[in-house]
Structures are given as structure tokens and as C-alpha cells.
Amino acid sequence: MSKLRLFQRDIINSLKRSNMTAIGAVLIIMIIAASLSSEHFLDEYNLKAVVRDLAFIGMIGIGQALLLLIGELDLSVGKIATLCGVIAGMLMVTSGLNPFLSLALALTLGILLGALNGLIITKLRLNSMVVTIGMAGVYGGVTLVLTKGKAVTNIPAVVHFLGKGNLGLVPLPFVFTLAVLIGALFLVKKTKTGRYIYAIGNNKEAARILGIKVDRIRIFNYGVMGFISALAGILYVARLGSSQASIGENWPMNSIAASVIGGVALTGGVGNPAGALIGAAIISVIQNMIVLLGVNVYWQSAVSGFVVVAAISFGSISAIVRDRKQRKAKMQALAKINPGEKNCGQT
Amino acid sequence: MPVLEARRLTKVFPGVTALDSVDVAFEPGRVHCVVGENGAGKSTLIKCLTGVYEPDGGEVLVGGRRRGPADRTAFRRVAYVPQEIDLFGHMSAAENLFLPYNQSYFRGLVSQRRLEERAWPWLERFRIDVRPDQLVKDIPISSQQLLQVARATVNEDYEALLLDEPTTSLTDGDAAALFDVVRRLKAEGKAVIFISHKLEEVFALGDELTVMRNGEAVGHSELDRLDVGAVITLMTGRPIDREEVFRSGAVTDEPLLEVENLTGERFASVSFRLNRGEILGFYGLVGAGRTELMQAVFGYLPAYAGRVRLAGAELKLGDPSAAVRQGLIYLPEERKKYGILPQLSVRENASISALDRLGAFLGLSAARENALAAEVVAAYDVKTPSLEQAIEYLSGGNQQKIVIGRAMVCEPRALIFDEPTKGIDVGTKTEIYRMMKKLAEEKGIGIILISSEMEEIIKCSNRIIVLYEGQKSGEFMGGTNKDQILSAAFGVVKN
């Protein structure tokens, strides 16, 4: 078999396995529906705004997908993003440090905070959800102590460009998201660590018996999540031009929703980080449509929440419908063979 | 008239005909055994007979009438005891027995006291020596197995009882208690369907026998007209030498694995030595601490005291990855729970331990990985439709072959086989014995074999160590008389 064909088969297999084709189709349908229902959807300005929005949820969603693959999650992503964004801002504005050095320090802090989550979860054998809810409180609290609730303004223009600027037509944050995606895909498809992530998500005990250093990989994943959170936080600060304590409020839930819509199983071991990006795109298109269609401001949150739940249920509803149909067909076939025997119940 | 019957039953899965026009009928008051190699179609037959699968052809008759899977009430007459124990560990025996509480105290309410009162007669009837309020996780495996049978029969209008390998986790003594119960149910006029890999049990208990091979029922007869050899030939399609032994012929006196005074949760101060090229058997009753001891040697479970040396080098306790790196691999008993990565493919399962060797310029090389997986599949004769098949859909024997093949890819010095043939048919068992012998002889690997099957221990081991309640109660040379080993296992003699 030629290399190319092997490669093609690889792609086809991974597409089949992660149901990516179905999710991609849903996204395309939504885009078509959006452009038909609102003439402004395809405006360059609108599209750029949507892409800039989805860059953040997409990026966090990719990290969340890595954690979901080992059957865990991180609800402190938004607070890590805020803290790192604020610290980057304070370093470059208040302390007058070189902007890029400040960014590097903030990213490193993100890795450390993520790894701290991982350390607590693995070494104390605690549940990831409970620990990260608690740590979200800690990180959010530290941010408030540092800023006393005030925003840090006057972010240097070079940094501002990272969040506000475009590469050609593409908003820069989305370029970073694509870079994160390529990194994540390389990790899960092409490295030992990636394969171990799937092994752990499939069967943690079997992975230990195979000699895989399970806790080390778990901590690694939390570190990656921390890094991505910090990156998203910094880009958001760059986009706003000021760092404030309120960014990333809805990132934890939206990133998990994006992963689940993208076909990553909450139980671990199944899915593809690319799905999370498609999921994030679906969520962003939904939210954009709600705005474009002029839904009452007070209703927006309820409507977008409902549509997200509907999107998550999509896969499982189609499975239920399929089961029903099969059962009905079989009952009819049986009724033909045994006419008149409607109640063959217990005596 | 048969209470449960299959006529020309056919079930096709993509690429395999699991059942091919099978006829079988189960009469009341008889024990009807079904035997066959792994993949012969027994599980599929069970699933059709219990209304889980819809057959693609033919019919299932319960109480003389044709039934489809939608007919839940009809299939309630078939009581089914699954192979693996699936009780709720943190609930009491009584709660487990009557779940889902159909005849509870008052609609929606459950009275603990009434449940326990109602449980007593059932526990007595099945000779389960536990109190109704004991948590299932705290009672012995043998009682759990009997409790599963009791639970299946709590629904009083059942007519057929289907036992799927009920003795895999039982020792011979416990199995005897189960057989007494089965004989009584038979005397009450129930049709008992008994599925087993252990032919001695089939001959001890059964009235008639159906043999399955490659999805077909290849033979049906009264058991008193058959002998073991004939049954094996029918099952495998080829005769098997039952007297063949598989001890290693290349035992050295070079120590490979030395364990000194190892103490842990379920065992105390155990010392032993395994030599290169040797097969060392560990026998004992269920709960004697064999698995716990070996998992601690391997580092999966903690050890409180003692030391382990592998090829002269100290082994770090409590760290399985260090053990694997130094060349000690543990092949677990419960493949589903500890062995396989269920949703990953055959390829990914086969290569997971050898990823270091599959590196290419840009990450793992798909071509090299495919080659490695194909090699494992060929070398260990794994039957799979493709390398991309998720391993959970393969039969137990094929999963076990991949688990062994994957271990061998790491070129280990010593292997611990924990019940390697549990739930595996006679033909594949022999293949696994040959594999162990070959590894010991050709590669000088030291092998520890944990088994609850006396015959297996005697056939394969150069030396046998017996554990009793977490302590060494005897050490014997291969080929020792069964009685001596058994009395050591029961703690009768100490030598």
C-alpha cells in the first residue's frame, strides 16, 4: 500500500471514529441557515466578530477536550485566564516590564496553575470537578486582591494588536487557536503521550498495569489546559486593551459544551480535539444568530442555553429515534407471523 | 414439551455468521450442557435465548410459542445468571436479592426489615452462609456467585435457568455447593442450561449435551453415551492429548526474581525465588492472596515490608512502570477490567507498550505501527476482521492473545500470568500453555502462573507454591500428587 493511501485511510478512519463528518455537516447547515435568515451574517465585519469570538471558546475547548479524553475536566479555566491576563497587564503597565517578557511570564504562570490543579487532583486523589470549582474561587479571589476590582488599562499597542489585529482577513486570535489545534492534534495523533491519553481514558487501571505513568500524564494535561487558559486570557486582555477581573465568565461551561457537541465523550477515551473547535463554531454561530435575529436582550441567555442543550442532544436523539424505528419494524414483522397473539403476557 | 427452544436459529454479524441454523431444545427437569470453544457462538446463542438479540433467521420458542425480543414478559420465564458477578457491592445481600423491589412493602417504599425477613428463606435454600444485612462486597466470592443464582430465580414463574460459566471464579469445593443447588432445582422440574468450559463439571452434572463449533450445533447426545475425548474432538474438530504436559525443559538455577519477606494487605512475609526458564505455579483457594501478592511484587498494590529483586537489581516497590522498564510484566486476570483498552483498536492495543520504537521524524509512524500490530496478530494467531477493529468486540481468547503478544513486544525477563485461561476454551488453553512453555524454553523467560485449576497448575509448573490465607503453606516439585497440593491449599499440612 502506498504511503498516500495509508495516510488517506488514516484520515478516513479518524473521521469515522470521531463522528466529525456529521458535526461538520451540522456546522455547514447552521451557516447556511444563518446566512439565509439574516442578510448581515455574511458581512465581513460580522464574520470577523464571530471568528474572533469562537477563537476563545475554541481554544479553551481544545484543552478541555484533552482533559475529557482522560475522563476529567477543568472548571477553573476562566479564572486562570483572568488571573494570567491581569498579571500580564500589571507586569507590562504597572511594572513597566518588556511586553513580550510579561506575556511569557504570564503563560508560564498559566502552566504552573494548571499543573497545581493536576497535582492536587492526582496526589490527593480528588475529583477534578470539585477541585477545579474550589480552585476557581482561589484564582478569582487572588485576581480581586491584586486588582482591587479595578481594570488595568493602557496596554501597549504591540500587545493590543495580538487581540485586535488580523492576518490578512483572519483575526489574529483565531490564528493562535489554529496553532493550538495543530499542536493538540500532533499530540494526540503522533506522540506517545497522546496515545497514553486515550489509553488512560479507556481504562485507567489497565494503563497503570501497562507501566504508563498515569498521574504524570494527568498533570501534564492540566498543565496544557493552564497554558491554553493563560493564552486565551492574554489574548482577551489584548483584544479589550485593558485587563479586568470579569473575563472568561462563561468559558468553563461553553468549552465543555463545545467538546461534547464535537463528539468528545464525557466518560473519556473517545473523541478528537478538532471536534471541540467545530463545536465552538456551532455555539458561536448560534449566539450570533440570536443577536442578528433581534431576540429580546433579556431572552438571549435562555435561548442560547436551550439551543446549546439541543445541540448536545443531537447525537443521542438520533440514536434513540433509530432504536425506536428498528423496534417498531420488528414488532410489525412479529405481528404478521403470530396474528391474534397480541397479549402474550404473564399468566 | 421443551420450555425453551431454538429452531434453525441464525444470527449474522458483519463478517461473521455467529449462529448458523442452530436447533436446540431444553426440557424441564434436565440439565442440558452447552460447550464449545471461544467464538463457537455460545454467547450469541444465550443472547438470542434471553431475548437480547433478535435472530436474523429461525425462531426462539418460550413455552412453545414464538417470541421476539420485544416480548419482555415471555423472556421473564428464562432466568439468566451471567458469567461475571455483577452484584451491587455496597448494598446488602437482601437488597441485591430483591432489586428492583417489584413486590415491595408499599408502592415506592422499601422496608429494610421486610426485605431481610424475606431474604432468609432464599439464603437458606441456596445455602448462602451470610446474613441478609451483610454488604455484598464483604462476603466471599462463592457466596456472591450463589447469590447471583438466587437473584435470578427470585422471580417465581421462571421455567428455565441459564447458567453461563458459573464456576469460573469458584474453587472446586465451592463449585460442589453450587452443583447441589442446581440438582435440587432440576428435581423441582426446572430446565437448567449449563454453559461451561470445564468438562469434568459437565460430566458430573449434565444429562444431555450440545456441542457448538463455528456457529453450528455439531452434536447433541445424552451425556452417559459420551466420553471426554469424544467431546473434545467434537468441540475442536481435532483430538487433543489430555495427558500432554507443558513444563519448561530449560530450567536453570540462575535466579531471576527474588522476593524476600514481602508483606502487604492480604499476605504476610512471603519469600520465593523464580529462576530463568522456569514456570513457577501458584495455587491456592480463591482469597488466599495470590493475586494480591503478585500485584504487590509488580508494584501495582502497595507492599508494607520486604524486598523484590529482578535479575540482581533491586525493584522499586509500588511503581509498576519501574517493573515494566526492568522487564517484569503482569498479565491480569480480569481482562476487561485491567487488561484491554476496550474502545481502542487492535492496532492501538497491540502497540501501546512499544511506542518508543515507533518514532519517526514527525511523531509516531503509522506504517511501522501497522507492521508491528500485524506481526502480533500473525505471531499469536489472533482472529480479527481487521487491525482497526475495537478490541472489545473480539472473543476472550483473542483478547488474551493480544495481551500476551503486547507483553512480548517489550521483551520481558519475567512474566506473571494471572489465571491466563479463565473463561477460555480447551483448544485455546492448550495454545496458551504451549506459548508459555516456548517462552520459557526459547527465551529463558521466568514465568509465574497463578491458577485455580489444579490440572493446569500440575500440567504446566516446574515447581508449585501453595498459599493459604496469605502465607506460604507448601512448596512442591512439578508433577506432585494432587492431594498433597490440595491439603496445603486448605491449610491442613505445613512443610
Side-chain angles (χ1 to χ4, degrees):
Chain A
M1 208 179 293
S2 77
K3 267 222 158 137
L4 183 69
R5 276 191 49 207
L6 266 177
F7 186 62
Q8 279 174 340
R9 211 191 53 190
D10 257 19
I11 291 176
I12 290 165
N13 278 330
S14 60
L15 283 181
K16 270 187 198 159
R17 258 198 189 178
S18 50
N19 285 331
M20 296 267 285
T21 17
I23 310 152
V26 170
L27 176 61
I28 291 168
I29 291 168
M30 297 213 44
I31 290 173
I32 293 172
S35 47
L36 290 179
S37 58
S38 165
E39 53 189 16
H40 296 298
F41 180 76
L42 289 178
D43 288 356
E44 189 190 324
Y45 174 80
N46 185 58
L47 279 182
K48 272 188 182 167
V50 172
V51 170
R52 206 179 294 271
D53 262 346
L54 88 85
F56 294 95
I57 301 297
M59 192 183 292
I60 302 274
I62 290 164
Q64 204 72 262
L66 292 179
L67 281 174
L68 289 176
L69 280 178
I70 58 169
E72 299 182 35
L73 44 77
D74 187 343
L75 296 175
S76 68
V77 286
K79 298 300 178 192
I80 292 183
T82 318
L83 182 55
C84 294
V86 163
I87 285 189
M90 292 176 80
L91 286 176
M92 61 184 90
V93 177
T94 321
S95 318
L97 221 60
N98 174 306
F100 290 101
L101 180 63
S102 313
L103 293 184
L105 286 174
L107 286 175
T108 315
L109 178 69
I111 296 173
L112 292 177
L113 295 180
L116 177 64
N117 284 346
L119 267 174
I120 294 172
I121 289 161
T122 54
K123 297 302 165 200
L124 300 182
R125 299 183 200 168
L126 293 169
N127 175 281
S128 65
M129 190 163 73
V130 181
V131 170
T132 54
I133 287 177
M135 292 309 282
V138 175
Y139 301 143
V142 173
T143 310
L144 285 177
V145 170
L146 288 176
T147 59
K148 300 194 180 62
K150 283 184 215 139
V152 182
T153 47
N154 291 327
I155 300 289
V158 261
V159 176
H160 198 35
F161 177 75
L162 290 179
K164 235 9 206 166
N166 297 302
L167 184 73
L169 280 173
V170 187
L172 265 178
F174 191 70
V175 176
F176 282 101
T177 302
L178 288 180
V180 168
L181 178 66
I182 290 167
L185 285 180
F186 183 76
L187 176 73
V188 298
K189 295 285 170 204
K190 284 288 174 188
T191 69
K192 238 168 74 169
T193 308
R195 203 55 75 72
Y196 291 169
I197 287 171
Y198 281 95
I200 293 169
N202 258 264
N203 191 341
K204 200 178 273 179
E205 294 312 310
R208 276 194 65 205
I209 285 178
L210 282 167
I212 295 172
K213 292 188 172 160
V214 172
D215 283 353
R216 197 179 281 185
I217 304 248
R218 291 167 72 198
I219 295 170
F220 170 82
N221 262 4
Y222 282 100
V224 171
M225 182 79 260
F227 173 82
I228 296 174
S229 305
L231 180 63
I234 288 166
L235 290 172
Y236 210 85
V237 165
R239 177 184 178 185
L240 295 176
S242 71
S243 59
Q244 38 194 294
S246 63
I247 57 178
E249 285 289 337
N250 53 7
W251 288 359
M253 284 309 154
N254 280 346
S255 62
I256 292 168
S259 293
V260 174
I261 294 172
V264 182
L266 282 171
T267 43
V270 178
N272 182 326
L277 185 55
I278 301 181
I282 290 176
I283 292 178
S284 302
V285 171
I286 290 170
Q287 288 177 341
N288 184 245
M289 268 168 87
I290 289 168
V291 176
L292 289 181
L293 293 179
V295 175
N296 182 316
V297 189
Y298 298 111
W299 274 102
Q300 279 184 6
S301 161
V303 173
S304 92
F306 177 75
V307 180
V308 167
V309 172
I312 292 173
S313 337
F314 178 75
S316 113
I317 288 175
S318 55
I320 293 171
V321 170
R322 208 181 321 121
D323 281 1
R324 284 256 168 87
K325 270 189 193 157
Q326 276 177 1
R327 190 170 292 177
K328 213 173 162 189
K330 274 174 188 171
M331 291 289 276
Q332 281 170 350
L334 266 179
K336 270 182 207 157
I337 299 158
N338 289 349
E341 198 187 312
K342 270 181 190 155
N343 292 316
C344 30
Q346 250 169 310
T347 43
Chain B
M1 191 189 71
V3 295
L4 182 64
E5 192 177 352
R7 286 192 193 151
R8 297 180 308 282
L9 198 63
T10 300
K11 179 79 193 169
V12 184
F13 292 113
V16 222
T17 304
L19 289 178
D20 192 356
S21 196
V22 171
D23 285 298
V24 58
F26 305 101
E27 304 276 349
R30 310 268 291 164
V31 176
H32 189 145
C33 302
V34 178
V35 298
E37 294 193 56
N38 289 329
K42 297 183 309 267
S43 310
T44 314
L45 179 66
I46 293 170
K47 288 196 168 119
C48 289
L49 289 176
T50 50
V52 176
Y53 285 164
E54 168 81 21
D56 295 315
E59 49 194 19
V60 174
L61 293 90
V62 185
R65 279 178 174 174
R66 181 180 175 136
R67 310 290 184 182
D71 195 353
R72 297 252 170 252
T73 41
F75 281 107
R76 230 177 267 166
R77 295 190 210 163
V78 184
Y80 169 56
V81 182
Q83 178 178 357
E84 269 147 47
I85 290 177
D86 62 348
L87 297 167
F88 300 90
H90 288 271
M91 294 173 87
S92 72
E95 286 169 317
N96 269 285
L97 198 52
F98 296 113
L99 214 71
Y101 315 128
N102 283 334
Q103 307 167 22
S104 64
Y105 175 59
F106 184 71
R107 237 185 145 63
L109 295 182
V110 175
S111 155
Q112 198 67 28
R113 193 177 50 82
R114 259 201 58 173
L115 275 185
E116 286 171 16
E117 272 169 17
R118 279 176 60 207
W120 277 115
W122 286 99
L123 296 178
E124 266 164 38
R125 193 173 138 79
F126 286 90
R127 294 187 204 154
I128 307 170
D129 192 17
V130 302
R131 291 190 321 276
D133 61 341
Q134 269 181 292
L135 293 187
V136 161
K137 71 179 175 63
D138 299 328
I139 68 177
I141 302 268
S142 51
S143 305
Q144 292 182 11
Q145 184 70 49
L146 286 169
L147 192 63
Q148 282 220 130
V149 180
R151 183 179 65 172
T153 60
V154 159
N155 182 11
E156 279 164 26
D157 55 354
Y158 78 99
E159 288 165 355
L161 174 66
L162 210 160
L163 298 164
D164 188 2
E165 306 229 19
T167 60
T168 36
S169 45
L170 300 186
T171 53
D172 296 348
D174 296 330
L178 175 70
F179 293 166
D180 283 345
V181 170
V182 171
R183 287 195 190 98
R184 215 172 43 234
L185 295 174
K186 169 184 148 185
E188 287 170 15
K190 308 294 184 195
V192 179
I193 303 155
F194 185 79
I195 291 169
S196 179
H197 282 312
K198 299 183 186 169
L199 293 180
E200 310 94 85
E201 294 177 358
V202 167
F203 277 87
L205 195 63
D207 298 310
E208 55 190 305
L209 175 75
T210 295
V211 179
M212 303 209 40
R213 188 171 78 223
N214 293 334
E216 290 175 57
V218 289
H220 172 248
S221 167
E222 299 293 306
L223 262 165
D224 46 23
R225 287 194 228 137
L226 289 168
D227 66 45
V228 176
V231 174
I232 291 179
T233 313
L234 259 180
M235 272 166 67
T236 58
R238 59 186 184 273
I240 285 180
D241 180 5
R242 297 191 77 226
E243 300 308 312
E244 191 178 351
V245 293
F246 303 92
R247 296 178 196 123
S248 163
V251 184
T252 65
D253 48 12
E254 188 183 331
L256 181 63
L257 183 71
E258 294 158 286
V259 174
E260 272 173 43
N261 295 319
L262 203 67
T263 301
E265 172 85 32
R266 300 279 294 274
F267 53 90
S269 202
V270 179
S271 304
F272 65 88
R273 183 176 125 172
L274 168 73
N275 292 331
R276 270 175 58 90
E278 182 184 35
I279 302 178
L280 174 60
F282 270 79
Y283 187 75
L285 303 180
V286 171
R290 292 164 301 168
T291 293
E292 290 83 356
L293 169 66
M294 287 311 161
Q295 290 189 342
V297 167
F298 175 67
Y300 179 72
L301 287 182
Y304 304 152
R307 53 200 290 201
V308 177
R309 260 174 305 178
L310 184 65
E314 199 80 20
L315 199 62
K316 190 176 157 203
L317 293 173
D319 183 1
S321 66
V324 170
R325 228 179 11 254
Q326 292 190 40
L328 173 65
I329 290 185
Y330 171 73
L331 304 171
E333 168 182 5
E334 293 178 72
R335 279 185 299 275
K336 282 216 177 77
K337 206 163 152 200
Y338 297 118
I340 60 167
L341 309 168
Q343 288 156 324
L344 296 188
S345 63
V346 168
R347 164 178 60 84
E348 287 161 311
N349 268 281
S351 68
I352 189 80
S353 300
L355 296 177
D356 277 330
R357 267 189 269 153
L358 302 174
F361 171 59
L362 266 177
L364 299 174
S365 149
R368 275 202 242 170
E369 187 183 2
N370 277 316
L372 178 114
E375 218 171 275
V376 169
V377 165
Y380 294 89
D381 194 22
V382 180
K383 291 187 186 73
T384 171
S386 90
L387 292 181
E388 298 307 316
Q389 177 79 356
I391 194 171
E392 58 182 334
Y393 300 118
L394 298 190
S395 72
N398 283 315
Q399 291 177 359
Q400 183 70 308
K401 287 176 187 172
I402 293 175
V403 168
I404 296 174
R406 163 173 86 191
M408 291 316 299
V409 169
C410 307
E411 293 173 0
R413 292 178 165 131
L415 285 173
I416 302 171
F417 283 88
D418 196 349
E419 304 280 5
T421 64
K422 185 174 171 181
I424 283 176
D425 60 80
V426 186
T428 314
K429 264 184 185 175
T430 311
E431 276 181 63
I432 288 175
Y433 299 154
R434 288 214 184 93
M435 222 174 256
M436 290 196 295
K437 179 175 156 78
K438 199 171 140 194
L439 294 175
E441 287 177 354
E442 290 177 10
K443 306 203 170 170
I445 291 173
I447 291 176
I448 287 174
L449 168 67
I450 303 177
S451 176
S452 296
E453 264 185 70
M454 178 66 83
E455 205 172 319
E456 178 167 299
I457 283 280
I458 290 181
K459 271 184 179 179
C460 302
S461 315
N462 294 97
R463 212 153 39 96
I464 300 160
I465 290 177
V466 182
L467 289 191
Y468 173 71
E469 297 202 328
Q471 294 193 346
K472 210 161 124 178
S473 64
E475 184 167 339
F476 305 94
M477 291 314 291
T480 307
N481 178 310
K482 271 187 192 183
D483 299 342
Q484 273 181 293
I485 299 174
L486 211 57
S487 39
F490 279 98
V492 182
V493 284
K494 296 226 169 198
N495 68 337

